[in-house]
Amino acid sequence: MRISNFTDFLSESESKSKTILILIAMNDEALPAIKSLGLSPLPKQGKMPFMLYGGEHQGKKIVLMTSGKDAKYNVDNVGTQVASSMATVGIQQFSPDIVINAGTAGAFSEAKSTIGSVYIGSIIKYHDRRIPIPGFEEYGKGDYESVNIPESVKNLFPQAVVSTGNSLDITDAERKSMAELAKKGPIVKEMEAAAIAQVCSWNETPLLVLKSVTDIIDGSEQTADEFQKNLQIASGALQDALLKVIGKI
Ligand code: SAH
């Protein structure tokens, strides 16, 4: 489908087909999916930095947003603040039937994760929001769930706890508590999902979190180097996973 302008795309979205909003932080994470879904760039709306792509795939309307670049630092926008703004704008503008947050993450060899492993989020929570005041403590941790996702979709990939924070590196305390959880099953560490889950829950919009592994937290390599080295492999795995998931929605 060729999209000549934004208004056409929006009015076509009023048809009966499902609208899927895919939120991906980084451009390099999104490129393989943009290509294989056959999405075209949509004009940028307003002054927010987000990039928009749209198209139709298997009879579903797809809108894919990336966080765009920070104009001052000239790097991709990542992290929770940007993710929640992007989710807010995307949900308000496109009223999706479902949001998919796709991206890369760190994981643990203790839980048998390897580079390119793909997971569907089960519990989605924050690991760096410590507010030791009664009530606020649990609020800080989050604990969102992927709600209203059909079992047929949930069963496509193994499930993992998704742990969100605003750093690529990890403190000793965070490493210790995540390593404990990794003994029980897969856990992935990334920088956006819980923020998006919070906005989706306010809007009562179903959310599916799909993460592929770029780096092994309990491995020997330095995270930033390992991330760069494996970004392409993991983004390719993410694209394959997205195609499978979209087919089942
Ligand atoms: N060093 C990178 C910066 C990427 S920030 C660069 O130079 O381009 C990391 C991005 O990948 C975030 O969007 C985050 O969600 C994801 N990510 C991958 N591995 C991660 C990890 N181990 N910890 C936190 N975020 C991770």
Side-chain angles (χ1 to χ4, degrees):
M1 181 178 72
R2 283 228 58 81
I3 300 152
S4 49
N5 72 52
F6 200 72
T7 324
D8 284 357
F9 186 69
L10 278 179
S11 60
E12 282 188 48
S13 298
E14 282 160 21
S15 67
K16 290 222 166 49
S17 62
K18 277 192 183 150
T19 300
I20 302 174
L21 175 65
I22 304 172
L23 303 178
I24 301 183
M26 297 178 68
N27 185 55
D28 283 347
E29 291 173 326
L31 280 179
I34 292 170
K35 207 166 165 204
S36 60
L37 289 166
L39 306 180
S40 322
L42 291 169
K44 208 159 150 296
Q45 290 293 290
K47 297 197 179 206
M48 299 303 257
F50 316 130
M51 305 299 287
L52 281 169
Y53 303 85
E56 224 170 74
H57 189 80
Q58 301 193 357
K60 291 141 204 165
K61 292 252 149 49
I62 314 282
V63 181
L64 188 151
M65 291 176 89
T66 63
S67 302
K69 274 198 185 303
D70 182 281
K72 183 169 174 191
Y73 299 100
N74 197 30
V75 293
D76 282 354
N77 283 308
V78 295
T80 57
Q81 296 88 334
V82 179
S84 55
S85 303
M86 180 160 73
T88 304
V89 168
I91 290 172
Q92 284 181 353
Q93 212 147 49
F94 300 103
S95 308
D97 296 285
I98 183 169
V99 169
I100 301 177
N101 169 222
T104 59
F108 286 81
S109 62
E110 171 80 44
K112 308 215 165 26
S113 300
T114 54
I115 301 301
S117 296
V118 173
Y119 294 104
I120 282 184
S122 50
I123 300 284
I124 303 142
K125 60 185 197 62
Y126 295 100
H127 56 254
D128 66 352
R129 297 205 319 172
R130 294 173 295 277
I131 317 171
I133 300 172
F136 283 92
E137 179 127 34
E138 295 313 310
Y139 165 77
K141 285 179 189 157
D143 257 16
Y144 299 93
E145 279 175 63
S146 295
V147 286
N148 295 330
I149 305 297
E151 287 301 311
S152 59
V153 175
K154 273 194 179 170
N155 293 336
L156 283 172
F157 297 97
Q159 297 195 8
V161 172
V162 179
S163 197
T164 302
N166 268 310
S167 300
L168 182 66
D169 68 8
I170 189 166
T171 65
D172 289 342
E174 288 165 356
R175 187 193 303 273
K176 210 171 146 213
S177 79
M178 277 186 224
E180 265 320 298
L181 283 175
K183 288 181 186 163
K184 298 186 203 131
I187 169 162
V188 299
K189 170 177 171 284
E190 51 75 80
M191 299 173 64
E192 291 87 15
I196 292 171
Q198 201 166 4
V199 176
C200 285
S201 101
W202 291 333
N203 287 281
E204 296 170 4
T205 305
L207 167 70
L208 181 80
V209 176
L210 199 60
K211 297 282 158 168
S212 74
V213 174
T214 38
D215 50 273
I216 300 298
I217 295 166
D218 55 349
S220 54
E221 288 188 54
Q222 229 262 321
T223 302
D225 298 341
E226 198 179 10
F227 172 85
Q228 292 292 2
K229 190 174 86 186
N230 297 319
L231 184 55
Q232 225 176 338
I233 299 173
S235 304
L238 201 59
Q239 157 218 265
D240 293 341
L242 268 170
L243 290 179
K244 280 195 191 139
V245 163
I246 290 168
K248 291 265 182 193
I249 287 175

